[in-house]
Each structure stands twice: as C-alpha cells, then as structure tokens.
Amino acid sequence: FCERIDKQPASPIVRLIRYSYKSMQLLRVILYLFSMPLSKDKKQKLKKLKAPKYNPIKGIDSSLFALHNSNEGLDAVGSGPISIQYKLAPLPPPLLQSCMDMFEDNMGQLYSDSSWGLNLPEKRAELDHNDARFLLVMSGDDDKKEGSLVGYCHFRFDTDDDDDPKELVGYVYELQVSKDFQGHGVGRRLMDIVHEVAKKASLSKVMLTVFDANEGAARFYNTLGYVIDELSPGEEADYKMMSKTM
C-alpha cells in the first residue's frame, strides 16, 4: 500500500496519508525506546537473583568428602565403601526412581495426611527440575556396580519468596535417608555440605520446609541451628518454613 502511494503524484491527500503513516512509525519507535529502560531494569533485578550456574561443590574443602571410600564420621553405615556424589538434574532414570521410592517410603503418609496431599507426578517433576542439585550418598554393593542409594539431599539456589523475592538463598527441598541408615549421621553430613555450599556461594541463609507432624525432623533441624523463618505462614498452616543464617 505504501509503495503504491509513493509512486503516485504527491497530491494533498497522498501527502497527508504519507505523513500520517510516517508519524505512526515514528511514534512506535519512540514508544519502544521509552520502554527499553524499564525492561533492562527488570532484567537486571532478576539477574541479581538468578541462580549461579557454576558447580557449587568446586573449591570446597575436600575434607567434607571424607566419606569417599570410608565410613569415617558415621556410625557403621553398611559394610561397603561410602561415597558422596554431586549431580545436576536430570538424574539417570534408575537413580531418580530410587529417590522417588525413598521419598514415598519416608514421607508418603505425612504428605497424604497433610493439606498438600501426596502427588507423586508433581514430586517427580520437582526432582527432575532443571535447577535441581543433588548430593547423593552411595553405598558400595558387590551385586550392583553403581552401588545403592543410602540417602540424598535435593537443594537449589532459589529466591526467599516467589511473590516478592528479595535475596538468593539455598533451599533444601528434600533430605531423605533410607530407614536402614537413619540415625548414623548421614543427614547431618549432607546438611554440613549444604551449609558450606551456601557460604561459598555467599548466600545469606539456607531455608527448608517441615510439616508440623514431622516432629523428629523439626528437632533435628533445631539441633543444626534452624529457627522459624519470618516468612513462615501462621498457625493455621500445617507446616513451617525454617532457616539458618550463614
């Protein structure tokens, strides 16, 4: 339409249409330029809270991994060699299924009885999320070359509040230990590593969520220095958000 008009004699009507068209184009450019600073500000704000992509285990004192080929620091955990592995999602399907089985065995009833309900597909998607990071405690097994899962911690670099994010924190989504190995220091060792990771990443605190009915877990986290976080919901909720300042 515009090319056809440009080839016609420059009558007053044509000039008016041409001027109107060019004015609209100029207005679009001006509006676009004025909108750019706002977009950049928003991107910069999100960038400050964006989860670091580096391997947070790199550079951490190797003494934290003293479990490798050793039961040192633990109370007789199995008979084979023990190792802690760090992995990013997605986990290999068999390992992911082992994590799911352990979660359901330990937490299935608590979730079923809670206001959240037990939604295994949702939990699997959570474990398979791109931002998921895992510390896996593996026990050597003569029958399984890759070893068997003793316990794991699923954590992420996350914001303190989805609705009004103010700072980047370490968030522990799952800390699970096989019932046969509970009470031997596995969970404590995993949390020690998470705390070191948070310090190395310059995070202000580590957060997690505990059901009110899970009194044993609440006591465990209390011994590690966790307290009720200021963002925790009121007494009407059946869970609490806890945090530990780094």
Side-chain angles (χ1 to χ4, degrees):
F1 174 76
C2 295
E3 290 183 357
R4 290 200 301 270
I5 287 180
D6 287 340
K7 293 178 182 179
Q8 292 178 2
S11 66
I13 295 178
V14 171
R15 286 200 299 271
L16 178 61
I17 294 175
R18 186 184 300 167
Y19 177 80
S20 299
Y21 173 77
K22 291 182 178 180
S23 297
M24 289 175 61
Q25 292 295 94
L26 180 60
L27 180 61
R28 288 179 181 175
V29 172
I30 292 173
L31 290 174
Y32 174 75
L33 291 175
F34 271 96
S35 68
M36 286 181 67
L38 294 176
S39 298
K40 286 183 178 179
D41 288 344
K42 186 174 182 181
K43 288 179 180 179
Q44 288 175 354
K45 182 179 179 181
L46 292 175
K47 187 177 181 180
K48 290 179 181 178
L49 296 174
K50 193 173 182 180
K53 295 298 183 183
Y54 62 86
N55 182 340
I57 300 299
K58 186 177 181 181
I60 289 179
D61 194 307
S62 60
S63 64
L64 287 170
F65 295 90
L67 286 179
H68 184 64
N69 294 327
S70 170
N71 289 346
E72 182 181 351
L74 298 178
D75 237 351
V77 178
S79 57
I82 298 292
S83 66
I84 294 180
Q85 302 176 11
Y86 170 70
K87 291 184 181 294
L88 297 172
L91 295 176
L95 191 51
L96 176 60
Q97 187 58 51
S98 293
C99 289
M100 283 295 300
D101 292 343
M102 191 176 296
F103 163 79
E104 187 173 7
D105 189 36
N106 290 345
M107 302 294 294
Q109 193 59 52
L110 281 168
Y111 268 75
S112 295
D113 295 340
S114 75
S115 60
W116 294 2
L118 179 62
N119 187 329
L120 293 178
E122 185 178 87
K123 178 58 64 174
R124 179 179 288 273
E126 185 180 282
L127 293 173
D128 214 26
H129 192 280
N130 288 336
D131 293 335
R133 290 166 161 82
F134 296 90
L135 291 169
L136 305 163
V137 181
M138 307 298 293
S139 175
D141 191 320
D142 294 337
D143 298 325
K144 295 182 179 180
K145 190 175 182 179
E146 72 278 8
S148 56
L149 184 67
V150 169
Y152 70 93
C153 179
H154 163 207
F155 70 99
R156 302 184 197 176
F157 295 104
D158 212 338
T159 52
D160 56 341
D161 189 349
D162 290 336
D163 297 327
D164 185 24
K166 291 184 175 62
E167 58 184 339
L168 193 67
V169 302
Y171 211 108
V172 175
Y173 278 69
E174 294 293 338
L175 177 66
Q176 302 298 336
V177 178
S178 172
K179 289 181 177 179
D180 293 336
F181 298 97
Q182 291 178 9
H184 297 286
V186 176
R188 183 177 292 272
R189 181 60 64 90
L190 288 175
M191 292 301 294
D192 285 344
I193 296 176
V194 170
H195 296 156
E196 284 299 317
V197 169
K199 292 174 184 176
K200 290 290 184 181
S202 299
L203 304 180
S204 62
K205 60 184 177 181
V206 174
M207 300 180 67
L208 49 85
T209 303
V210 181
F211 286 126
D212 291 344
N214 197 355
E215 297 177 356
R219 286 195 298 271
F220 168 73
Y221 292 122
N222 283 148
T223 64
L224 297 181
Y226 281 80
V227 296
I228 303 300
D229 190 80
E230 60 183 1
L231 295 174
S232 184
E235 294 182 358
E236 69 280 358
D238 59 356
Y239 66 93
K240 295 291 184 289
M241 295 171 66
M242 304 182 74
S243 64
K244 176 183 173 72
T245 302
M246 293 295 101

